[in-house]
Amino acid sequence: SDAYDTVAEEEGATKGGEQRRHRVRVLLAVASIAAACAVALAVTAVAVAFTLNDSSEEGEGGGIYTYAGDGRAALDVLYTAYDTLLARGWSRRTLAVQETTLLNGELAKLPIYCYLSPTAGPSVYLLAGIHGEEPAGPNALAKEIDFIATFVADNGVSVVLMPMNNPCGYALNWRYPNGNNVTTGKSVGDSSWLLPSPKDPTQPREQSPPLPETEAITVNVVNLQATYPVLFSLDLHEDCLVSSLGNNSYVYSQGLEGVNDLVAAQVVTILSASGFPPLMNGTTQFGEVIQNGVVVASNDSSIDELLSAPLIIAPPPNRTQAKGPNAKTVLVVETPGRVLLPARVTAQQNVLQALPTLLLLFHEMWG
């Protein structure tokens, strides 16, 4: 059983919809799987020296006993990589602490951190690790941590980095902090308690968050808009539930431009060049339309919908309609979880290395 000790440093659903969005897998009417790209992506040198575990045994590779059957880095190795930002003037906030029993029987307290670039201002939000059995994103961010810091210094942009939102799930290879069951699982990114109900926009979809850390993570996003307002966001995910995906990827676009978003189109190109061509046309098993490799996400109560929301229901004590983050470009990158992890990590690294180009494309659309 899991217990949670929330230590938020700021004020601190339809759940089925959120789970559905992250379970979305491509189905029947795929007319053609075209991968149009001839992009050469240069892989920058990794400044943070760590490697993925080579062992297929659980728990090897670090001081925090971590599932390693797929070669993921141990949690403490990732924390050390992320913390190198502190020497470059970044700040770190502890949003919550998850308590769990690790695979070796040890009781562990696992922090959920948010890192802020040295200067406040309009920001690129980078998120990963919402689902614990999707390790490519947290590992890619750790490998590209020096690149991200340099991107901030060179481009005069701020960054909000939330690289490991579910360390309990990551350590145990659980999708949710309370297990893998998609029916009973509680997501750390479930924002239904802050999003207006379609039936009555003055009321939230759910009255309360499913977990203390859910509250801490989502309230952090809302409160940061006063100092680090979101420009665009990338949420790094993986499709680990359906084997029929093969080596295909897909991208969700929650922003105003939907399938016409130039940033989304560039991410599709990058994934294709990385060996994971998105399905270009068709529908998902839930009827969501794929156009040019992009799924226009519906109301799914995810943290990504929260980032794109023009209006929200404010956190306590007010619980009234309030201005939302209203990000114009909000993307969820999904690599196929049944492919070997190093290739998935590399693909997500390639997306991160394209941040300067993605920022230029964003400004081309929105000024």
Side-chain angles (χ1 to χ4, degrees):
S1 61
D2 302 324
Y4 305 97
D5 176 24
T6 302
V7 290
E9 296 181 8
E10 288 194 352
E11 290 184 82
T14 319
K15 182 179 69 179
E18 191 275 338
Q19 293 166 345
R20 214 170 33 245
R21 213 290 306 286
H22 292 295
R23 293 175 57 202
V24 123
R25 317 297 174 240
V26 203
L27 211 170
L28 303 171
V30 179
S32 67
I33 302 174
C37 45
V39 175
L41 294 171
V43 179
T44 30
V46 176
V48 179
F50 83 96
T51 58
L52 296 173
N53 300 328
D54 294 326
S55 172
S56 61
E57 299 298 321
E58 292 180 346
E60 297 190 8
I64 300 176
Y65 200 92
T66 304
Y67 172 84
D70 53 10
R72 71 187 64 187
L75 263 175
D76 55 304
V77 175
L78 297 182
Y79 284 142
T80 298
Y82 304 147
D83 278 352
T84 61
L85 292 172
L86 303 180
R88 301 186 66 162
W90 291 54
S91 60
R92 188 187 73 188
R93 296 177 177 178
T94 303
L95 304 182
V97 174
Q98 294 177 318
E99 291 188 12
T100 192
T101 301
L102 299 174
L103 294 169
N104 64 350
E106 294 180 359
L107 182 65
K109 294 184 178 182
L110 307 176
I112 299 172
Y113 292 137
C114 173
Y115 297 83
L116 303 176
S117 59
T119 303
S123 302
V124 176
Y125 278 52
L126 302 175
L127 300 89
I130 295 286
H131 296 140
E133 91 288 33
E134 301 175 7
N139 282 263
L141 285 167
K143 283 179 170 286
E144 295 300 324
I145 208 71
D146 186 66
F147 180 87
I148 292 168
T150 302
F151 165 71
V152 168
D154 290 349
N155 290 274
V157 68
S158 300
V159 165
V160 172
L161 175 64
M162 300 170 67
M164 178 62 72
N165 288 284
N166 181 13
C168 167
Y170 182 93
L172 299 172
N173 198 38
W174 288 358
R175 184 171 181 82
Y176 307 107
N178 64 325
N180 277 316
N181 190 300
V182 295
T183 301
T184 60
K186 297 179 179 181
S187 175
V188 299
D190 186 347
S191 301
S192 56
W193 74 293
L194 295 176
L195 289 166
S197 168
K199 295 181 179 179
D200 182 358
T202 66
Q203 297 297 315
R205 298 172 191 174
E206 299 290 341
Q207 291 301 317
S208 59
L211 297 166
E213 59 265 55
T214 304
E215 179 177 7
I217 289 168
T218 54
V219 169
N220 177 62
V221 166
V222 171
N223 287 344
L224 279 175
Q225 300 313 304
T227 51
Y228 287 80
V230 58
L231 284 172
F232 71 86
S233 67
L234 293 176
D235 190 359
L236 303 180
H237 277 262
E238 301 199 81
D239 185 332
C240 296
L241 295 179
V242 175
S243 60
S244 60
L245 191 64
N247 72 328
N248 295 116
S249 61
Y250 53 94
V251 175
Y252 279 100
S253 177
Q254 288 273 17
L256 294 177
E257 290 295 312
V259 297
N260 298 315
D261 192 296
L262 296 180
V263 181
Q266 183 65 20
V267 172
V268 166
T269 298
I270 294 166
L271 291 172
S272 296
S274 302
F276 299 122
L279 291 162
M280 300 303 291
N281 297 288
T283 61
T284 70
Q285 62 177 311
F286 299 107
E288 294 162 306
V289 177
I290 303 168
Q291 298 180 38
N292 300 323
V294 179
V295 180
V296 179
S298 57
N299 295 341
D300 60 8
S301 297
S302 65
I303 197 168
D304 310 294
E305 186 187 352
L306 176 65
L307 282 161
S308 68
L311 291 174
I312 64 170
I313 305 300
N318 295 326
R319 298 303 276 160
T320 57
Q321 271 196 343
K323 182 180 177 182
N326 200 26
K328 295 181 174 65
T329 292
V330 177
L331 303 182
V332 178
V333 180
E334 299 266 5
T335 48
R338 301 303 178 98
V339 177
L340 291 176
L341 180 59
R344 290 145 47 197
V345 172
T346 297
Q348 298 208 12
Q349 284 183 259
N350 290 342
V351 173
L352 293 171
Q353 289 165 14
L355 278 170
T357 299
L358 302 183
L359 181 63
L360 287 173
L361 290 169
F362 176 84
H363 286 306
E364 182 178 327
M365 287 192 298
W366 303 108

